[in-house]
Amino acid sequence: MKLELITLSGPKLQEDVYEVILPTGDGEIAVYQHHMPLVTTVVPGVITVRRKKEDSDAARDVFATNGGIAEIGGSQIRLLVDEADHADEIVEQEAAEALAAAKKLKEEAKDELELERAEALIDRQAVRLKVAELRRHGRRPRV
Amino acid sequence: MANTIAIKRRIGSVKNTRQITKAMELVAASRMRKAQEAAQRSRAYSQIARELLTSLSNITEVSEHSLFKKRTIKARLLVVITSDRGMAGAYNSNALRAYLAELKADKSAGVKSYTIAIGQKAAQLVSRLPQTEVVGVYKHLPEDLQVHDLQPLIREAAKMFTDETVDKVDVIYTHFYSSINQQPNVLHLLPAGFAETEISAQLNLAEFEPSVEHVLGSAAKKLIDCQLWQAMLESVASEQSMRMMAMKSATDNATDLVDDLTLAFNNIRQASITQELAEITGGAEALND
């Protein structure tokens, strides 16, 4: 199954994979080869990619995303998300600081637009922090 | 000698100008690199977003969605992207010329025009135009533009489209083909997926989860955001690139001018020395006689 993970800052991943777990509006789904054609929303959460069938859980690639859209059809899956940060790219402390800053932004928000933005920022940083924490504990991430 | 002093001053002032244009060239070059990278990075995303929007718009259930609905065009909203500052060669005038051509086309087709202007230069122009109604002006956008900075604009445009004030939203921006080629371009923003293309059989069969409305409600908006965002990035890259080219030729011109003036200056200086010598020798000859 060909996975294309495309973000606003360029394509992150374009390769054959065995399994993709992604957070959708209706809950987490796992996608394998020959999945039925599906268009669904991706919500802020963790995308997990297993490249080969025999890969262990710990060997999977984990991305924090802030949501987007997934187009699944036959032997390909296209994930169009604004951002996808690989667990290795996230520094836990930075994510924690960013989350605190986002929360502060929410308290200080003056209008609806600012509030929405702050909430989106909180979602995003919370997911990043989660991914970073889970990597530290060496556990498989669950959201 | 009065003449040499004037030329000397001229040389000095041209050199000063050259320093400024040189500095502007360097600044524009570094900004261009950044803007170019940003534009190229997100190109893959917006390309696929566009494909997706287009195939989605061909699905019957989707084409009835408020952001996808095609109507007879009675009014059109034009979003024109220019810069706040000039000195960028033909950047602003090209974009504005393309905009005026669109306005003219609207007028001859009997379509009412609304305008949202981005950038000081567009703002100045539209404020003088009687044939269009200006619904928004966005000036002095921050240097490090973020997607959410464009939210108010997109909301306004989407609102005008969904409440049927306008039947079409087009963006006039400058596409960055390469660092020496940038062309004004018209991007069809709404109704989404305006271009007619083949529908992929796969998508036609696709299920939508949780529902068509939900997927479109959240995703379509994002994909549309991204189209405008890409247009903005392309414009910024074009602007900086054109400014760099303009400043480079200004610097080259200044250098040529300094060379010419230096030559003229040396000519006059040498002429005056020769003349003085001639006068001295002439005087000495006269004394000898």
Side-chain angles (χ1 to χ4, degrees):
Chain A
M1 179 173 64
K2 196 171 178 328
L3 167 70
E4 284 183 67
L5 177 59
I6 296 145
T7 70
L8 267 181
S9 47
K12 281 263 161 160
L13 215 59
Q14 273 174 319
E15 56 188 283
D16 281 324
V17 298
Y18 171 70
E19 174 195 26
V20 182
I21 300 175
L22 46 120
T24 74
D26 273 356
E28 213 168 51
I29 62 168
V31 181
Y32 298 89
Q33 177 88 310
H34 305 306
H35 194 283
M36 68 181 236
L38 176 72
V39 177
T40 183
T41 51
V42 178
V43 296
V46 180
I47 298 174
T48 315
V49 177
R50 195 197 299 269
R51 287 173 201 231
K52 291 199 182 64
K53 194 176 177 183
E54 59 273 15
D55 281 354
S56 69
D57 282 359
R60 297 182 305 183
D61 283 293
V62 179
F63 296 90
T65 181
N66 66 338
I69 185 168
E71 182 202 353
I72 300 159
S75 57
Q76 82 158 353
I77 166 166
R78 278 209 290 212
L79 293 177
L80 220 53
V81 292
D82 286 0
E83 281 166 50
D85 296 316
H86 194 275
D88 296 345
E89 296 167 355
I90 304 169
V91 180
E92 188 178 338
Q93 198 189 346
E94 276 176 16
E97 279 166 15
L99 180 61
K103 280 183 176 153
K104 197 163 160 242
L105 212 63
K106 186 183 171 183
E107 278 163 25
E108 289 167 0
K110 284 184 285 294
D111 54 41
E112 206 182 317
L113 213 62
E114 274 183 35
L115 193 69
E116 235 170 72
R117 202 163 91 202
E119 272 167 1
L121 214 58
I122 290 176
D123 275 354
R124 182 180 146 219
Q125 297 301 348
V127 171
R128 280 167 59 95
L129 187 61
K130 183 113 192 154
V131 167
E133 274 174 6
L134 288 167
R135 187 191 43 161
R136 186 171 46 130
H137 298 313
R139 276 192 298 146
R140 84 172 264 246
R142 295 188 75 92
V143 170
Chain B
M1 285 307 277
N3 208 0
T4 57
I5 292 171
I7 291 183
K8 229 175 174 171
R9 276 200 197 129
R10 197 77 211 280
I11 292 176
S13 88
V14 172
K15 275 186 176 163
N16 279 339
T17 312
R18 184 175 62 181
Q19 257 179 357
I20 294 167
T21 57
K22 182 88 195 161
M24 283 176 80
E25 180 192 333
L26 295 175
V27 170
S30 89
R31 282 193 188 150
M32 180 196 82
R33 252 193 307 279
K34 251 190 254 161
Q36 195 180 339
E37 275 164 21
Q40 274 161 356
R41 267 204 309 270
S42 60
R43 225 175 245 173
Y45 186 105
S46 65
Q47 178 67 34
I48 291 173
R50 199 160 178 72
E51 275 174 39
L52 203 57
L53 278 178
T54 312
S55 6
L56 284 176
S57 71
N58 285 309
I59 300 169
T60 343
E61 286 170 285
V62 177
S63 59
E64 292 304 307
H65 186 266
S66 59
L67 288 176
F68 285 83
K69 207 163 185 177
K70 294 186 178 82
R71 298 188 291 257
T72 342
I73 293 152
K74 291 188 292 287
R76 176 157 83 141
L77 173 66
L78 292 165
V79 180
V80 54
I81 304 177
T82 62
S83 65
D84 284 328
R85 268 176 256 167
M87 296 252 221
Y91 172 73
N92 287 311
S93 51
N94 279 352
L96 291 174
R97 199 173 309 129
Y99 164 68
L100 288 175
E102 292 295 321
L103 271 190
K104 211 170 161 194
D106 275 358
K107 204 177 176 191
S108 55
V111 173
K112 189 164 169 30
S113 304
Y114 293 86
T115 302
I116 291 181
I118 302 177
Q120 181 89 44
K121 297 285 163 183
Q124 279 166 0
L125 179 81
V126 296
S127 65
R128 293 196 303 263
L129 289 177
Q131 63 266 47
T132 182
E133 192 174 315
V134 182
V135 286
V137 169
Y138 295 83
K139 290 188 284 192
H140 311 297
L141 289 171
E143 193 83 33
D144 59 330
L145 200 64
Q146 301 293 320
V147 182
H148 56 69
D149 290 326
L150 297 175
Q151 278 306 315
L153 195 164
I154 291 173
R155 268 168 207 231
E156 177 77 40
K159 194 173 144 279
M160 285 182 79
F161 184 78
T162 45
D163 68 16
E164 307 199 3
T165 317
V166 295
D167 307 300
K168 195 168 176 224
V169 179
D170 284 342
V171 181
I172 293 146
Y173 74 106
T174 311
H175 191 83
F176 185 87
Y177 290 100
S178 73
S179 47
I180 48 164
N181 184 15
Q182 304 90 24
Q183 300 290 337
N185 220 331
V186 181
L187 171 83
H188 305 299
L189 197 65
L190 291 170
F194 197 75
E196 302 287 338
T197 54
E198 293 249 328
I199 173 167
S200 77
Q202 241 173 43
L203 264 175
N204 209 6
L205 299 170
E207 285 282 322
F208 287 82
E209 271 183 7
S211 64
V212 176
E213 287 83 52
H214 190 266
V215 169
L216 292 180
S218 70
K221 228 189 111 283
K222 230 170 196 170
L223 300 183
I224 292 161
D225 282 6
C226 155
Q227 302 290 308
L228 185 67
W229 171 242
Q230 185 66 26
M232 200 70 210
L233 288 181
E234 298 275 350
S235 293
V236 172
S238 302
E239 177 200 343
Q240 296 303 345
S241 161
M242 279 165 118
R243 173 166 296 131
M244 188 189 85
M245 290 306 282
M247 287 303 117
K248 185 171 162 42
S249 54
T251 309
D252 292 348
N253 274 343
T255 308
D256 287 351
L257 203 57
V258 168
D259 286 351
D260 288 352
L261 287 171
T262 312
L263 196 63
F265 173 79
N266 288 345
N267 262 339
I268 293 171
R269 191 191 54 184
Q270 193 55 51
S272 72
I273 292 169
T274 315
Q275 198 187 347
E276 245 174 75
L277 277 176
E279 276 164 14
I280 293 166
T281 43
E285 290 283 314
L287 284 179
N288 280 345
D289 285 344

